[in-house]
Amino acid sequence: MWILMYVFSYSVSPAATNDRAEWRILPTVVFQEFSNEERCKAAKISLEASLKEAGAKLKSGLEDLRSIGKADPSQIIIAFNVECLPK
């Protein structure tokens, strides 16, 4: 058995919200079992590609908003890690 584990987290600058508290990391951790390493690695590659694409789309959208003075990409931090681990 293999476990696909991914951690996705984001944080929004207090300046970008009504909440003036410190930056807060909001993580999500997901585990999924696979019967073999090859299936786990295939899922990992697919998931990493999807997360990278989503991040690029978000950054592009924020750049568009920055051009009209409504947002700044530096106000959001997004991070992820995807791993296949033997069970």
Side-chain angles (χ1 to χ4, degrees), residues 31-51:
F31 299 94
Q32 184 171 348
E33 289 187 355
F34 288 87
S35 58
N36 61 55
E37 183 179 11
E38 293 78 26
R39 291 187 67 197
C40 187
K41 286 186 175 182
K44 176 184 186 232
I45 290 167
S46 178
L47 181 58
E48 284 176 327
S50 294
L51 291 171

Side-chain angles (χ1 to χ4, degrees), residues 8-78:
F8 176 83
S9 62
Y10 69 95
S11 188
V12 178
S13 166
T17 69
N18 290 331
D19 180 3
R20 298 293 181 218
E22 294 180 20
W23 286 72
R24 291 193 180 106
I25 301 293
L26 305 168
T28 300
V29 180
V30 177
F31 299 94
Q32 184 171 348
E33 289 187 355
F34 288 87
S35 58
N36 61 55
E37 183 179 11
E38 293 78 26
R39 291 187 67 197
C40 187
K41 286 186 175 182
K44 176 184 186 232
I45 290 167
S46 178
L47 181 58
E48 284 176 327
S50 294
L51 291 171
K52 286 177 185 175
E53 182 180 339
K57 286 180 181 178
L58 177 60
K59 183 178 178 181
S60 175
L62 289 171
E63 290 289 349
D64 291 346
L65 289 172
R66 178 168 56 179
S67 70
I68 60 172
K70 297 290 184 185
D72 186 342
S74 67
Q75 294 175 327
I76 297 179
I77 296 171
I78 296 173

